Amino acid sequence: MFDRLREDKKRRYPNQPLRNENGDLDTEGEDNHSLIFFGLWVTAVGTIFNAIAATTRTDLEDALRSNFSIYGNTLETAGNALVAEGFGTYGPDKYGSYIITIGSLTALYADIGNLTDEEVIRTALRGALIEGLGTSYALFGVEPPEDPTDFEIYTIYSALLQLFGNGFEAVGGITELQGGDGEPLYEIGTILQAIGAILTGLFYEGGNRFN
């Protein structure tokens, strides 16, 4: 999932500092691993809030359920934006995270906008599809590594979980628009996203834990 060009150069020339075209030390391509790590966990907490808001097994008042959804989408938007900013190079990871941020922001608008019930469903559906697009771009936008590390394997599986989660949310929204009961599907989608986001945060090893 990660842009491997700069890392390949570092492996080939481990003792050579990277410089830009003016000859100055180039820090633009360096990932801010602590920022990425923090953003991943902000996102994970947001997905947990959204899972709580979506589950039908909890006896929550409508106002409290709405608040959980607002908090969740706000945290997801902020977390994904932090992750995008943490990537030093412009590639699938950075652009994909920005696209996911737009999707989370769209879902947040569904919560706080002055919309009809149908417009809320349609807006949330667009948000899920945009998030899925961003995750797909980050996941499939680079060639798979020949000898993946444990972290890269966990990252791929967690990204797939989140992608499937977006898919369940989208199908749930379509079902609602067609007059069916899409809440169980949406609930499954939020749970899958939460599991995937937590796994990504737990197994993030960028920069050998920032050293």
Side-chain angles (χ1 to χ4, degrees):
M1 279 193 61
F2 296 100
D3 189 353
R4 308 180 68 85
L5 294 178
R6 179 172 290 272
E7 292 300 322
D8 181 62
K9 185 175 181 181
K10 289 179 182 178
R11 284 193 295 268
R12 285 183 291 160
Y13 308 104
N15 298 319
Q16 178 181 343
L18 298 177
R19 297 180 180 275
N20 59 27
E21 59 184 6
N22 297 323
D24 300 324
L25 287 176
D26 183 11
T27 58
E28 183 179 354
E30 296 291 336
D31 291 342
N32 187 336
H33 296 291
S34 58
L35 183 61
I36 295 173
F37 183 72
F38 179 68
L40 288 174
W41 275 107
V42 171
T43 302
V45 173
T47 60
I48 293 171
F49 272 103
N50 273 331
I52 294 173
T55 182
T56 57
R57 295 176 177 83
T58 55
D59 186 18
L60 297 177
E61 296 181 359
D62 289 342
L64 182 58
R65 191 180 299 275
S66 176
N67 286 338
F68 269 108
S69 182
I70 292 172
Y71 298 151
N73 285 319
T74 299
L75 289 170
E76 281 196 48
T77 301
N80 285 309
L82 289 172
V83 171
E85 286 299 307
F87 289 112
T89 55
Y90 287 88
D93 288 312
K94 193 176 187 73
Y95 290 130
S97 296
Y98 277 132
I99 294 172
I100 297 171
T101 302
I102 295 172
S104 300
L105 192 60
T106 303
L108 177 60
Y109 179 66
D111 288 330
I112 64 177
N114 186 19
L115 306 174
T116 64
D117 291 343
E118 182 176 336
E119 289 173 337
V120 168
I121 297 173
R122 291 186 182 278
T123 304
L125 172 60
R126 293 189 189 99
L129 291 174
I130 295 172
E131 286 187 24
L133 175 63
T135 302
S136 298
Y137 183 51
L139 181 60
F140 302 112
V142 295
E143 295 183 4
E146 295 180 359
D147 186 19
T149 64
D150 289 341
F151 165 64
E152 288 170 328
I153 293 173
Y154 283 120
T155 299
I156 292 171
Y157 284 136
S158 62
L160 286 173
L161 278 174
Q162 294 182 72
L163 183 58
F164 286 137
N166 291 136
F168 272 101
E169 289 180 359
V171 173
I174 294 172
T175 303
E176 288 285 335
L177 291 174
Q178 294 177 343
D181 182 13
E183 288 186 359
L185 293 171
Y186 192 84
E187 179 182 346
I188 293 172
T190 59
I191 292 173
L192 288 177
Q193 280 206 72
I195 295 173
I198 292 170
L199 287 176
T200 304
L202 284 174
F203 293 102
Y204 184 70
E205 295 176 347
N208 294 322
R209 284 292 178 179
F210 327 139
N211 60 11

